Amino acid sequence: IVKMLKNKFRGCLIGALVGDCFGAPYEGESISSISRIQLQSYFDKLEGPPFLTPLYQYTDDTAMTKCIAESLIQNNKFNARDMAERFVKEFFRNPNRGYGENVCDVFHKFNNQNLENLWKPAQEQFNGSGSYGNGGAMRIAPISLFGFRDYDIMLDIVENSTKLTHTHPLGINGAKLQAIAIFLAVRSDPEKPLDIAEYIKELINKISIVESRLNRVVPSEYSYKNQLLKIHRLLELGDKAVPHLVVEKLGNSVSAMFSVPTAIYCFLRAQQSIADIETNNPFRRTIQYAVSLGGDTDTIASMAGAIAGAYYGIDVIHKNLQQLAEGSDMINELAIRLCDQVTH
Ligand code: F2R
Ligand code: MG
Ligand code: MG
Ligand code: MG
């Protein structure tokens, strides 16, 4: 059991890393400009015989995921100040990892004000409405793992860690949805075919409770529950749900509302074969499909990769992808330490 859990923890964090590294070259491209044939050969080549190439660099998604994992390991609980300090240090060590345009203001304020008020800089974003970007969700994987034994504690840490940079309810609830998707994947038996209907039902139940606690009014079209119902309908269409339709319905942007459900869809869609994607490997299918949708490709592939890796475990991720991703040894080590921590 512990061995299976370790494989799932490693699969989850390495899955997130690999999605980030191999999705990043396509970030910001529109779906129409991405060639499916070219994408097929991109991944074929990566999984083929060794060739000379620099490592594929990770971006802000992984930089911040690493901070969260390290903070949880060091403190064995959520420590807001420590986590914020790590975000700031990491940002100033390398500000060129493709961070969100506005979140940088939060890091500068933390730095200038010596972390005096931990919660204020994020509250001040966007004239006080807070960020609804997917920056909370993209970094959440270690919290699902750390809290995999206690759902309520897990959700609490998700909320507070997200609020360090993102206070808009859609930003927070997007992070919660991604955390729940991973939480359920860790707990699912990869030897049995995934019961997709049951998985979505469980997500809907849990996110409905979260959304019923909203203390701020948001328009009803911005409901994660609604997005999950769309996922269900799109999955029933199979390949008739062409990539353009998926993007039209679910989105591919840097906002949490229009990227987290998309990532969940990618994971679920990749349980079966997909037109124009030739592979028997469901993890590769997940991230190749995510990238094919364009838009926020590093983040959607990373979030989808985290869920898929948490479900299947590390062995599903092709060795080349692991070796060609910058920081894979470091991320692997963090996954093992997180697992040791929660199983001892
Ligand atoms: N920043 C990027 N990618 C953009 C371009 C880089 C690339 N090199 C390219 O063009 O090829 N990626 C990273 O940012 C995303 C996560 O962003 P995060 O951390 O949520 O940042 P931020 O700044 O808080 O929000 C992002 C944007 O969302 C819009 N937005 C958010 N809240 C808003 C609100 N209340 N009102 C209006 N707009 C809001 C803004 O445009 C923000 O800039 C990931 O994709 C990561 O990979
Ligand atoms: Mg990024
Ligand atoms: Mg932000
Ligand atoms: Mg991104």
Side-chain angles (χ1 to χ4, degrees):
I1 296 280
V2 171
K3 189 168 172 229
M4 154 119 108
L5 202 61
K6 195 162 281 184
N7 282 339
K8 281 172 160 285
F9 275 44
R10 292 171 65 207
C12 177
L13 293 196
I14 294 286
L17 171 76
V18 162
D20 181 17
C21 291
F22 299 103
Y26 293 89
E27 193 187 24
E29 289 200 23
S30 81
I31 178 175
S32 313
S33 71
I34 292 178
S35 149
R36 261 148 258 292
I37 297 165
Q38 196 258 317
L39 209 54
Q40 178 70 29
S41 40
Y42 171 66
F43 281 102
D44 282 347
K45 185 165 181 210
L46 287 167
E47 292 188 348
F51 62 103
L52 208 59
T53 171
L55 293 181
Y56 283 71
Q57 304 287 299
Y58 64 75
T59 76
D60 58 325
D61 305 51
T62 300
M64 297 194 84
T65 301
K66 169 175 150 282
C67 294
I68 292 190
E70 288 170 345
S71 183
L72 291 172
I73 290 166
Q74 278 303 316
N75 298 278
N76 200 20
K77 62 169 190 201
F78 174 64
N79 177 335
R81 175 167 302 272
D82 177 77
M83 200 174 277
E85 261 172 33
R86 288 175 195 273
F87 287 161
V88 173
K89 259 198 200 151
E90 175 63 39
F91 173 74
F92 284 101
R93 183 159 45 222
N94 191 350
N96 301 319
R97 293 241 183 228
Y99 283 88
E101 236 171 89
N102 296 79
V103 74
C104 304
D105 299 345
V106 176
F107 301 137
H108 280 104
K109 284 184 188 171
F110 275 150
N111 202 37
N112 297 337
Q113 300 161 11
N114 211 4
L115 291 140
E116 256 161 45
N117 190 330
L118 282 178
W119 310 104
K120 206 166 152 223
Q123 287 163 358
E124 289 172 350
Q125 293 294 86
F126 299 95
N127 297 315
S129 64
S131 174
Y132 53 60
N134 56 21
M138 74 183 185
R139 65 186 190 225
I140 218 64
I143 302 179
S144 295
L145 303 180
F146 181 78
F148 100 105
R149 282 187 200 283
D150 191 322
Y151 178 77
D152 292 322
I153 291 180
M154 191 262 312
L155 272 196
D156 226 50
I157 302 179
V158 170
E159 169 146 352
N160 291 315
S161 70
T162 300
K163 278 184 178 164
L164 289 170
T165 52
H166 293 65
T167 61
H168 194 289
L170 295 183
I172 296 170
N173 288 349
K176 286 187 178 171
L177 179 58
Q178 171 64 9
I180 296 167
I182 295 172
F183 178 90
L184 294 177
V186 174
R187 287 163 167 255
S188 302
D189 180 359
E191 303 298 328
K192 294 188 196 131
L194 184 70
D195 187 337
I196 293 176
E198 189 58 34
Y199 182 85
I200 297 179
K201 201 175 114 197
E202 199 48 34
L203 281 177
I204 289 179
N205 284 342
K206 290 187 151 51
I207 207 66
S208 298
I209 296 170
V210 167
E211 290 190 312
S212 71
R213 294 198 207 111
L214 264 190
N215 53 4
R216 227 158 94 183
V217 182
V218 291
S220 66
E221 66 264 33
Y222 295 120
S223 131
Y224 286 102
K225 183 185 170 189
N226 263 347
Q227 296 297 93
L228 290 168
L229 291 169
K230 286 190 208 165
I231 289 179
H232 199 83
R233 291 196 290 272
L234 286 167
L235 286 169
E236 282 171 350
L237 293 175
D239 273 332
K240 283 193 206 109
V242 295
H244 275 88
L245 180 69
V246 171
V247 170
E248 184 193 313
K249 297 286 180 201
L250 301 178
N252 64 1
S253 79
V254 296
S255 70
M257 174 57 67
F258 300 113
S259 58
V260 175
T262 314
I264 293 170
Y265 175 80
C266 292
F267 162 63
L268 295 175
R269 180 69 189 86
Q271 300 297 306
Q272 266 104 49
S273 67
I274 304 178
D276 301 331
I277 299 183
E278 279 164 50
T279 177
N280 292 322
N281 180 310
F283 176 83
R284 167 174 165 181
R285 195 182 299 129
T286 302
I287 61 167
Q288 186 174 329
Y289 181 69
V291 176
S292 80
L293 299 177
D296 195 0
T297 49
D298 63 334
T299 304
I300 297 173
S302 180
M303 294 191 294
I307 306 169
Y311 175 58
Y312 296 107
I314 187 71
D315 295 334
V316 79
I317 305 176
H318 198 289
K319 277 278 178 286
N320 293 9
L321 296 180
Q322 298 186 46
Q323 280 160 7
L324 291 170
E326 178 200 9
S328 59
D329 288 344
M330 172 265 295
I331 293 293
N332 191 44
E333 184 63 32
L334 291 174
I336 291 170
R337 285 169 67 190
L338 263 179
C339 190
D340 288 345
Q341 199 162 29
V342 302
T343 49
H344 283 124

